Amino acid sequence: MNVTDLSNKVHTKSEQVTVAVAHAVEPSIFTACSLAAEKGTASFHFIGPLTEMTDAMKDAAVEQSDRFSFSDAADEAESAQKAVVLVHEGQADVLMKGMTPTSKLLKAVLHKEKGLRTGRLLSHLAGFQLPEQDDLLFLTDAAMNIAPDLTQKQGIIENAVEALSKMGMELPKTALLAAVETVNPAMPAAVDAAVLTQMNRRGQLAGCLVDGPLALDVAVSAKAAKQKGLETDVAGRADLLVAPNIETGNTLYKSLTLFGGATVGGMIVGARAPIVLTSRSDTAESRLFSLLMAVSTIQK
Ligand code: COD
């Protein structure tokens, strides 16, 4: 699956999608949303201090559009709360992080009465478009769950698999990252990976092909997998990488963008609605990719 597939899926839908953008005070947000609005991806409701949003839109040289509307909010926390409430009340279909810090947005999302909880675990899914690679590579969880236990890892994989299926990818080849391929009892990540692999074989973790523990090279390089004698359905050709903790996930995410030249998209899955979770330093291209990921998971 590549970005063109995602774009085709999103743009052949006839439904009108509205995105609530929390704290839209940065020009690249308007650049991305304006491009998306022109393509018909979605309409946008921007929440934040009105004068700062107007200035950001001017700096991006973006014109007012009939696909744009605005609500005033005093600060990051109020922007996050108001955007979450719009989605909670069904006035918007997707929540998008603007310049609110991730933890402030997630706290509003997790609010017991006015948030976007479903009773399920919420988790982060990132997509990477790497230079000279047609297919997208996905990674979970680089940004929400800090030190997931075995049950939470199962939830994280189920969330990612469900989102990928909605994007059009069936049976993602899912690699559980560790430092080794043998099950070393002294390495909890390797032990969890072995258990999750067995759960997949027994049908307790469905919709994907799971293998682990796998070191990163064996997960994504056919040459490394062959050299280490690991010939499985997943080794060397993973679609989805599962990190054992947020530090591994976040460092890999940043390595792929900083050293690997990847364009990244990010979203939170498992909530009542998809949540576009970009970094505050993300480019307009990256924000557009995240939007495509999120909108493509909406099934009305
Ligand atoms: N899914 C569903 N419910 C959750 C989740 C989750 N992943 N996490 C917490 N909850 C629920 C809990 O069950 C509880 O009812 C309530 O939310 C509060 O739980 P706490 O006290 O553990 O959570 P918070 O509010 O202190 O923190 C939740 C965060 C998501 C903010 C926290 O886990 C966090 O800071 N994660 C890392 C975010 C981050 O800094 N990322 C960095 C890279 S962008």
Side-chain angles (χ1 to χ4, degrees):
M1 182 170 70
N2 58 35
V3 173
T4 311
D5 297 331
L6 273 188
S7 176
N8 289 342
K9 183 170 190 297
V10 165
H11 296 120
T12 49
K13 283 183 185 176
S14 52
E15 293 106 351
Q16 191 52 252
V17 173
T18 303
V19 180
V21 189
H23 219 61
V25 296
E26 148 69 36
S28 64
I29 297 172
F30 286 97
T31 307
C33 295
S34 151
L35 287 169
E38 274 167 26
K39 283 188 181 172
T41 313
S43 297
F44 295 88
H45 191 87
F46 301 102
I47 300 112
L50 283 177
T51 41
E52 283 183 52
M53 291 198 291
T54 310
D55 289 348
M57 201 166 133
K58 260 192 212 143
D59 289 347
V62 164
E63 301 284 322
Q64 174 58 306
S65 150
D66 59 2
R67 284 180 169 259
F68 287 178
S69 53
F70 297 83
S71 286
D72 193 23
D75 54 26
E76 292 160 344
E78 195 183 330
S79 299
Q81 278 160 13
K82 284 190 168 174
V84 167
V85 167
L86 278 179
V87 180
H88 178 92
E89 289 174 349
Q91 294 180 55
D93 311 286
V94 175
L95 175 67
M96 179 172 178
K97 180 187 149 187
M99 297 305 277
T100 36
T102 298
S103 56
K104 267 189 194 152
L105 188 74
L106 293 180
K107 278 177 193 284
V109 165
L110 290 170
H111 191 279
K112 283 210 168 91
E113 286 88 42
K114 293 178 186 163
L116 304 176
R117 289 169 179 247
T118 52
R120 287 170 54 174
L121 186 81
L122 273 63
S123 53
H124 185 259
L125 176 66
F128 300 87
Q129 197 184 351
L130 282 149
E132 291 170 33
Q133 281 196 24
D134 191 41
D135 285 335
L136 296 172
L137 178 67
F138 291 90
L139 168 69
T140 189
D141 174 331
M144 184 156 190
N145 291 283
I146 296 171
D149 62 18
L150 184 75
T151 306
Q152 289 169 326
K153 285 178 186 170
Q154 181 181 358
I156 287 170
I157 297 168
E158 285 169 347
N159 279 347
V161 168
E162 187 182 317
L164 291 174
S165 164
K166 288 178 179 168
M167 288 180 208
M169 184 190 280
E170 296 305 329
L171 279 183
K173 295 183 272 303
T174 303
L176 308 179
L177 294 179
V180 288
E181 288 75 41
T182 46
V183 184
N184 179 345
M187 294 184 179
V191 176
D192 279 2
V195 175
L196 288 160
T197 301
Q198 188 64 357
M199 288 171 80
N200 178 244
R201 288 184 185 149
R202 293 282 186 267
Q204 289 171 270
L205 183 51
C208 51
L209 294 171
V210 176
D211 194 14
L214 293 178
L216 178 65
D217 57 343
V218 177
V220 296
S221 155
K223 192 175 159 204
K226 198 168 175 216
Q227 274 168 348
K228 292 198 185 171
L230 269 151
E231 293 186 18
T232 73
D233 291 335
V234 177
R237 55 187 119 166
D239 302 306
L240 171 65
L241 304 174
V242 181
N245 54 43
I246 197 169
E247 290 81 9
T248 308
N250 204 268
T251 304
L252 179 53
Y253 175 112
K254 283 169 185 156
S255 304
L256 288 168
T257 51
L258 282 172
F259 304 135
T263 301
V264 64
M267 65 182 291
I268 296 286
V269 283
R272 194 192 278 213
I275 302 166
V276 177
L277 199 81
T278 49
S279 289
R280 279 175 281 174
S281 58
D282 272 352
T283 58
E285 191 187 9
S286 190
R287 292 183 196 280
L288 255 180
F289 179 23
S290 303
L291 263 169
L292 274 182
M293 282 175 61
V295 174
S296 70
T297 64
I298 294 185
Q299 285 181 331
K300 284 192 176 173

